[in-house]
Amino acid sequence: MNIQKLINSRFGTGLALWIGNTTPAWLGYRVANLAARWIASQRNLPMVRAVRANQWVVSGGKLQSEELDEVVLAVFKSNTRALYDFYHNLERPKKSLEMMEFAPDFQLMFDKMKSGQFPAVAIAPHLSNFDLGGRALGQRGLSLQILSVPQPPGGYQWQNSIRQNWGLELTPTSGESVQKARERLRHGGVVLTGFDRPLGEAKIKPRFFGRLSALPVAYLTLAMQTQVPVVIVAVIPNGKGTYQLIGLPPIEVETKKDREETLLYNAEKVLSVAEPLFRQYHRSWSMFYPVWPEALEQMP
């Protein structure tokens, strides 16, 4: 049985949704922790190996085997707790909003985005409860288009249908959806997408934590074509059992001698700005694909 496919299937998503809907918090968090411990103990599971390799690189190759075990467990605890908080509050919009505070600097940026004064390509890492963060943006009245993974598996399709109920426009990446994103940006809107999930094959490989990666750069093409900045928006744990939405200062795209050099230069510029965020909150980085595949054979 492919455990990772089961987790990402409609059955896996449905089970998480059922647990979130039917269990009180004291029991739900306990179930989430048990699930995290079980998944983290499956050291040969591809998603566990990916987390292990990613965390090893972020540590600068300093973490030893037992230390990696502890960090990997922390990642899955963060992820399962975030999923429980998300699903538990699907039918509790007020409680969902209370769990996500906006940092003061981000609130100012958000108000400009909402009024159409600040068109931007917003990019979000898979940190902490990013789904709850997306819901908070919609609940607070921001109209935005989310570019998601093309051809998502069954579980992701179900999650996407849930996300669309927040009033957000969620579109799997395609020629048509990218054209729609360009039009939105040109009319003062906001487009949101991820930037830390690796591609299978990539011609341009920006350095991230000092290593070549297969991270996407297409968001930069959007920013270049519409002459808008890139903004890193992230959800972080606030130490109170809830979450905070933050935004880093806007990053302007710089033009180089050709398209490929422009994309590479600006991708590395964006990733260098993002690195401290990943380093500080690495225990809540739910990236289950190897950003640096060679690290799978190098980690302890």
Side-chain angles (χ1 to χ4, degrees), residues 123 195 219-220 230 232 251 266-274:
I123 58 173
F195 73 107
Y219 63 90
L220 289 165
V230 173
I232 299 172
I251 303 167
N266 286 285
E268 292 186 342
K269 180 180 175 181
V270 168
L271 292 173
S272 68
V273 171

Side-chain angles (χ1 to χ4, degrees), residues 245-271:
L245 252 170
I246 64 170
L248 301 188
I251 303 167
E252 299 292 339
V253 176
E254 300 179 46
T255 303
K256 297 299 175 181
K257 67 179 182 180
D258 58 41
R259 180 179 180 276
E260 189 169 320
E261 184 179 343
T262 297
L263 289 172
L264 179 61
Y265 174 85
N266 286 285
E268 292 186 342
K269 180 180 175 181
V270 168
L271 292 173

Side-chain angles (χ1 to χ4, degrees), residues 168-186:
L168 304 175
E169 184 176 359
L170 195 142
T171 55
T173 301
S174 66
E176 182 181 353
S177 64
V178 170
Q179 175 59 30
K180 186 178 291 187
R182 280 195 292 265
E183 290 304 309
R184 180 180 290 267
L185 291 167
R186 286 169 179 151

Side-chain angles (χ1 to χ4, degrees), residues 88-205:
H88 185 64
N89 294 296
L90 274 180
E91 305 302 325
R92 302 174 177 88
K94 183 179 178 181
K95 178 63 176 176
S96 177
L97 201 53
E98 289 172 354
M99 296 195 73
M100 186 64 60
E101 65 177 1
F102 282 21
D105 288 350
F106 179 71
Q107 183 66 60
L108 293 173
M109 184 186 298
F110 174 83
D111 291 339
K112 290 181 180 178
M113 288 178 170
K114 187 176 174 181
S115 66
Q117 300 175 46
F118 185 41
V121 175
I123 58 173
H126 289 72
L127 290 177
S128 192
N129 208 329
F130 53 91
D131 266 326
L132 203 63
R135 183 179 188 183
L137 294 175
Q139 281 184 286
R140 294 200 180 190
L142 180 63
S143 174
L144 80 164
Q145 178 183 348
I146 299 176
L147 287 172
S148 66
V149 177
Q151 298 179 333
Y156 285 114
Q157 291 176 20
W158 198 350
Q159 290 172 347
N160 287 346
S161 68
I162 292 171
R163 291 164 182 150
Q164 286 178 317
N165 291 334
W166 311 332
L168 304 175
E169 184 176 359
L170 195 142
T171 55
T173 301
S174 66
E176 182 181 353
S177 64
V178 170
Q179 175 59 30
K180 186 178 291 187
R182 280 195 292 265
E183 290 304 309
R184 180 180 290 267
L185 291 167
R186 286 169 179 151
H187 289 86
V190 178
V191 174
L192 175 69
T193 191
F195 73 107
D196 58 339
R197 177 172 173 161
L199 304 171
E201 293 291 334
K203 181 179 179 181
I204 297 172
K205 296 188 175 183

Side-chain angles (χ1 to χ4, degrees), residues 198-217:
L199 304 171
E201 293 291 334
K203 181 179 179 181
I204 297 172
K205 296 188 175 183
R207 288 191 176 273
F208 188 37
F209 285 94
R211 290 176 176 244
L212 297 180
S213 71
L215 294 181
V217 299

